Amino acid sequence: MTAILEINDLKKVYEGGFEALKGVTLSIERGEILALLGPNGAGKTTLISTICGISTSSSGSVFVDGHCIEKDFRVTRSKIGLVPQEINLEPFETVMNTVRFSRGLFGKPRNDAYLEKLLRQLSLWEKRGNRIMELSGGMKRRVLIAKALSHEPSVLFLDEPTAGVDVELRKDMWNIVAELKATGVTIILTTHYIEEAEAIADRIGVISKGELLLVEEKSALMKRLGQKQLQIELQEPVTALPEALQTENIALSGDGSTLTYTYDTQAKRTGITKLLADLAAAGLQLRDLQTEQSSLEDIFVGLVQEKST
Amino acid sequence: MNWTAIKSIYFFEMARFFRTLAQSFISPVISTSLYFVVFGAAIGSRIQEVDGVSYGAFIVPGLIMLTIMTQGISNASFGIYFPKFIGTIYELLSAPVNFLEIVIGYVGAAATKSLFIGLVILATSFFFVDLTIAHPVAMMAFMVLTCTSFALFGFIIGIWAKSFEQLQLVPLLVVTPLIFLGGSFYSISMLPPFWQTVTLFNPVVYLVSGFRWAFFGLADVPIITSLAAIGGFTALCLFAIWWIFRTGWRIRS
Ligand SMILES: Nc1ncnc2c1ncn2[C@@H]1O[C@H](COP(=O)(O)OP(=O)(O)OP(=O)(O)O)[C@@H](O)[C@H]1O
Ligand SMILES: [Mg+2]
């Protein structure tokens, strides 16, 4: 089965010469939820805009369900729904009219039964006759989602769906995403919140300064999170590790004074007892011990810093 | 062609117009009536006849032209500038539509609105002056063509404009003077020879002249020239719009 979205070495240079995407390559499977994490200005919105046709790419290619976004733009754009980062809505229109307009704009015949189902699902049915300006911020965001889903897309982009949204609504949003996934929609969302990615994504991508630093299964990433580090300070620095301690999960610091032992907390045996026995056997005196658990945040910050130095 | 999309854009735009229907009609009707009072009654009492037509009737085609040109431009420029301004343009850009479909939807709606208003003004004129239309079909054709070409022109202005001031700038600085100096209220044969020659560089002259021919069977310039002028103007606007969408100028970053 081909990937639903195939991005190859996508580059974007804005008019002023700013390189917002420096060759992004990414493949997204049908029906998965991918969360794109990245700091402000990383290029998340640019990436989405380029795929959806709002900005043009400078080089590289994108395929949606096997169709090129430039040559077959009618096919690819019909398959995509986009919820933009900013709340862009016509203030004087009613909810129903804007949603109906979106459906028509995407070439779908009128289907009020489907729109009713959609608005009910998003708790907007009561407000269908209200003008957009009479809605709360959270409702407006849901109108944007309704518009994006009005033409029954198979891929949905959510650009920071929960920015400036209260905790309860955020949970609502997560439920909506989960329901959509259940209907087979592929979802790509951007967020600044690690917990959000953790809560709903199947895979997590980290983007910074126009580069995709990592894309990994959430479970693999979580497994990394399950790892702990034991740091052992030695009384006397050593130049090399004793033979018995030369395994891949033990590292010696540059000055030879600290050993770092990485282990899995979920494993049956952590191997700590054996390590300590080996240290004693090698005649090494310990000054201090400490353990550390890495969080997704650490991995994320580490990756971003690694790239910027 | 994505006809569903064209229809959606067209009716969405028309709905805006019908929501403010009274407003859309009242102001042109009132200003036209004022023109009749000032030009027709006050000045007309001194000029009386131009080429055998009463002055009051003589200015009707010019007045209609004046209104549909300005309305065409403002409707279309606002129609496309507004989504740019409030950000809803993202949806147009990400929709499976090409430039022609967007143009047909927006320009079609803007042209329809100005055509409505033109017809209302024509109807209003019957209250003020005796009017017979020599070539009704040609009159309608001229009206439709003018509404369309000026709506196309307005569409370009709307895409070009980066602020509401700019949106007003071209109509105010270029179009209004051209229309007033385009023989809306006089026959160019009334001007001294030098100014007659200058006036021939004003494209509006050809439109007003052709439109007046449709009413009274008399024209300042040959009807063929009028048709060529409006055809040329429409083609120029279409080409500009095609270029805009091909390059993404001021709409696609
Ligand atoms: N139209 C534009 N012209 C020039 N530069 C732009 C344009 N749009 C975005 N940029 C630049 O491209 C970079 C990436 O912007 P983008 O909006 O994609 O970031 P982002 O990851 O979505 O950030 P945020 O989390 O703040 O939404 C930024 O440095 C931004 O200034
Ligand atoms: Mg963004």
Side-chain angles (χ1 to χ4, degrees), chain B residues 89-168:
Chain B
I89 186 107
Y90 84 86
E91 201 176 20
L92 274 182
L93 298 178
S94 62
V97 290
N98 65 13
F99 97 96
L100 200 59
E101 290 149 359
I102 296 182
V103 170
I104 295 175
Y106 278 99
V107 170
T112 310
K113 291 177 206 173
S114 36
L115 186 66
F116 267 127
I117 292 171
L119 289 174
V120 167
I121 289 175
L122 181 61
T124 314
S125 320
F126 283 104
F127 287 103
F128 290 91
V129 291
D130 270 337
L131 208 59
T132 45
I133 301 167
H135 311 283
V137 176
M139 188 221 52
M140 271 313 284
F142 255 104
M143 209 142 123
V144 170
L145 266 175
T146 309
C147 289
T148 310
S149 59
F150 277 74
L152 282 170
F153 186 55
F155 189 85
I156 297 171
I157 295 175
I159 287 186
W160 164 79
K162 284 182 172 168
S163 64
F164 275 104
E165 284 74 29
Q166 287 189 341
L167 203 59
Q168 312 283 1

Side-chain angles (χ1 to χ4, degrees), chain A residues 41 43-46 85 159-160 190 192:
Chain A
K44 303 182 293 294
T45 301
T46 303
Q85 182 172 0
D159 200 353
E160 292 184 35
T190 71
H192 291 146

Side-chain angles (χ1 to χ4, degrees), chain B residues 26-90:
Chain B
I26 283 174
S27 81
V29 167
I30 288 182
S31 58
T32 312
S33 305
L34 284 176
Y35 277 116
F36 274 119
V37 172
V38 174
F39 284 94
I43 301 178
S45 65
R46 291 172 169 248
I47 299 183
Q48 289 172 3
E49 280 197 351
V50 182
D51 302 332
V53 178
S54 84
Y55 186 68
F58 179 82
I59 62 170
V60 169
L63 271 181
I64 296 177
M65 273 284 166
L66 173 73
T67 313
I68 60 179
M69 285 174 186
T70 46
Q71 286 284 331
I73 290 178
S74 69
N75 285 334
S77 62
F78 185 78
I80 191 70
Y81 180 75
F82 191 59
K84 256 180 30 170
F85 179 71
I86 60 171
T88 50
I89 186 107
Y90 84 86

